[in-house]
Every structure is written in C-alpha cells, then in structure tokens.
Amino acid sequence: MRVVHESIDSDDELKKLRVNLAKNAQTQALISLLENISATEVELLLHNVKPDNQAEFKRSLWAFYIQNCPDTDVFLEAFSDNQAELQQIELDAATEAPNWSVAIELFNNRFVDMPFTLSLFNQVEAALGKDKAQLKFTFKDGDDRIDCTRSEIKSLSQGEKRALYLLNFIFEVEDRKRKSAETLFIIDDVADSFDYKNKHAIVQYLEDISEIEHFSQLILTHNFDFFRTLANNFVHRERCLMANRTENGIELSQAEGIKNYFIGKWKRNITNSEFILCATVPFTRNLLEYIKGETDPDYLKLTSLLHWKEDTAQITIGEYYKIYNRLFGTNYPTNDANSFKELLFNKANEIKDRANHEGLNLEDKVLLSIAIRMRSEIFLIEEMRKIKSDDTYWCQSMNQFGALIKSYIKELPDSQAISTLEKVSITVSSNIHLNSFMYEPILDLTIEHLITLYSEILELESAVPVTQESEPAL
C-alpha cells in the first residue's frame, strides 16, 4: 500500500484527487475499509455493490445486523405479543382508505375549475392499511401531465388552499357518517375566498349534511350573499339569525329581507319610513339608467340627490315622489315641498345619535353612505372654491367624487383631511349605486363604522364656512 501511495503522490493530478477524496468522511471510511480487507473481500464487495446485486446485498446486510444484535430477541418477542394490536391498527387504517376515496371523489365532482384533480399515490397500500393515504395532485395542460405531492406545490391561490382544507372536512364527515356518530358541526366563514361556482358547491354539500339525521350544523358567516343563499336553499327562515352589537352585548334577531329586500320591505313601506324613502334613491336611479339611459331628466335629477350639484338643495320630497310614481306606476302624494337633502341629513343625524341599532339596517347603511359622500363633496367643493378663488365653482365631472378628491390631493397633498376622504372613497363612494341590487359591500360594513365615518366628515365640514352659492335658495 505504501508503494501505491508513493506512486499516487508522484503524479500531481492523482495526488490532487487523493487529497480531495480525503476531505470526504464517507470516502475516507471507504478507503480505510479497502485498505484493511483482503483482495478477495474487495472483489466480493465490488461484486455486491453492482446495481443488479444491491437489493440482495441489502437483505444480507440486514440479516447480518439482526443476527448479531443483542436486542433482536426482545424485539421479536414484543412483535409477537402485540400482533393483535398491530392487526387492529392495520384494520383501522384500511377502513380510512374508503373514506379518503369517497372524499376525493366528492371533491373532484363538486369543486370545478380547480387546476388539479386528486387521487392517491398509494391506493393499494392504503386500502390494506399498510400505509397512510398520500394525496396525489395531477395537473394537466393538453397532453402534458404532472403528478406531485402537496409539499411540492408552491403556487395555489388562497381559494384553492381553502378548498383543500375542505377535503379534510369532507373526509371527517364521511368517517362520522359511516360510524353514525352524533355530531354538531360548527362551520365558520367556509365560503371565504371561493368563486361563485365553488361557493355553491359548498352550499350543496352542507345541504347534503343537513339531510343526515344524526348531524347538526351551526353555520356562521359575514358574507350576506352566502347567508342569503343558505336561506334560499335549505336553512329555514326561522333559523336564520343576525347578530347585532348593543349596549349590553351581542343579541340575535330574526333575519329580514333575505329574498328581496326592496320588494319585501322597502317598496311597501316607502311612505311609512323616511329612512326607507331616502334609501330607495339609488335603486330607483339604477332602474332609470337601465330603462331610459343616463340622459333622462329623471335620472339626472336623482343623480343630484346622490351628489352635491347646483340643483341638489332645490329638489323637494314631492319631486322625488313624482319620479318614483312615474317609474313604478304608483300614486303617492307629491305635494311635500320640504328639501330632500335636508331630510337626508336629518335622518343621518338621527341614525348617528341612536343608542341601539337592530336588524339588518340596510336602509340606515345606504342612507348614511349617501349622506357621507354628499357631505364629503360639500367639503371638497368649498375647499376647491377657496383654492380657485371662485365662489361659483361646481364640479362637472361624470365621476364627481373621484375627480374632486384627485384635485384636492393635487392642490393640498399634506392635508389631514385626505385620510378621511380616502376612507369615504374606499368604503362607500362606489358602493352606493354600483351594487344597489345586491348591496353586499355595504351590508358587510357595520353601522358603527359608517357612523364613525359620518361623524368624521361632519367635523371636516364644520370647519369650512359654506358660501351662499353652494346653498341655492329653495
């Protein structure tokens, strides 16, 4: 061996290779082994490590280790004594496999437009209870296909991740269904981050659960559209409750206006509630836009009830009733000469000062949203008049609030009012009329949030003296 080392050291390339190999602990161990065994043993080792012989070599090694391990008898005895328990573990694992198969089939059938389909990598082993179920995600693009595990997936959307959480829920449900286990499921905002197709798939599965005698559900959600979908499908109206914050805590009240809030509550109470009267303006305006277009005189007049325009202060309650009667074929009195704008602000102030707010409060939220934006525009127009030194200035943009706030920020980028005005833009400005038929964005806001924002706008407005030109005489 000394002669071999001398021969290697005399060659610079071989010497460099020998030094590099010596740095690797495993290589060094192999070199040490080869140096300390006979040529016959080296030849046998090289034969056993050939690819075709490695499997048998591993078995022989394990047999050798077990035969020479002093604890082998203890392990064999423990294995023999616990055969019944081991068989039960395998049996339990085997009973889980069908549950996974059912859960996966339900998932693939119900949740459409997912970028993958699910199956099991180890279907046979799992069915025999020899291994835990390992999910396989199959992605297809034309003829291309790739299978991977969950840990290998890095780019699922939030909705797709939540869909996978539901897979575990489906598995648990199927397991409890098989065992006929009495169960109360508490389901909290399960529809978040899902598109409409998959949201309805969730509703369908929850309906399936409701039909199982020994299952009960308590479903919680902040999403009114999901809430309404449940009520219109399988949850009885009497069991649809809304949580309201009061001075004494949280109370539950019967849900209202689930099917059609406008027809179910507003339309038949427009003369009984001035809050409802004010809230119907954006809905009426939307219908005029769809039926007659944006150049219709009635549409333009209602625009002046949603924005601060030259004629806003002059429009009376009676004039609004005339437009409403023409559109809906009603015959309500039209002789009320009081200012609609003043009614709007008075009712907004009443909501602000009210101690308790019960029920859905949709009319209060819509009314406050209109009042918040209109008062914001009053503030902005007064500010722009001062900046322009023009007491007759009015904004002529079709997107009035957006145009006003952009101009204001450009002129006064450091104004402390900007943060409040931006909250108005984000919270209520576009929601007033773009979602008049569904109102989900406003419904998701608490009445307390809108009251706080309204109070902030009042503070801004109170600091600005209103010129005569901005308050046309009635």
Side-chain angles (χ1 to χ4, degrees), residues 159-226:
E160 290 161 353
K161 289 177 183 177
R162 289 182 68 89
L164 282 181
Y165 301 153
L166 280 176
L167 176 64
N168 292 316
F169 173 68
I170 292 171
F171 170 81
E172 184 69 24
V173 170
E174 296 306 314
D175 184 57
R176 289 172 177 272
K177 185 192 298 183
R178 179 179 60 82
K179 297 175 181 176
S180 297
E182 194 82 22
T183 305
L184 169 62
F185 295 101
I186 300 177
I187 300 165
D188 186 10
D189 265 336
V190 68
D192 274 8
S193 304
F194 287 105
D195 57 27
Y196 273 95
K197 287 183 179 179
N198 288 327
K199 192 176 293 186
H200 284 285
I202 295 170
V203 173
Q204 185 181 8
Y205 189 65
L206 295 180
E207 184 173 2
D208 291 347
I209 294 174
S210 72
E211 295 172 355
I212 299 172
E213 186 177 351
H214 48 274
F215 285 173
S216 300
Q217 300 177 72
L218 177 61
I219 305 174
L220 311 173
T221 182
H222 289 91
N223 187 304
F224 185 75
D225 179 56
F226 184 67

Side-chain angles (χ1 to χ4, degrees), residues 125-142:
E125 293 85 351
L128 294 174
K130 301 295 185 181
D131 197 3
K132 285 188 175 181
Q134 297 177 15
L135 287 177
K136 179 197 294 185
F137 295 79
T138 301
F139 294 82
K140 293 182 180 179
D141 184 7

Side-chain angles (χ1 to χ4, degrees), residues 242-253 448:
M242 291 186 174
N244 301 295
R245 185 184 294 112
T246 68
E247 288 182 331
N248 300 320
I250 302 294
E251 67 176 22
L252 297 176
S253 58
E448 290 80 13

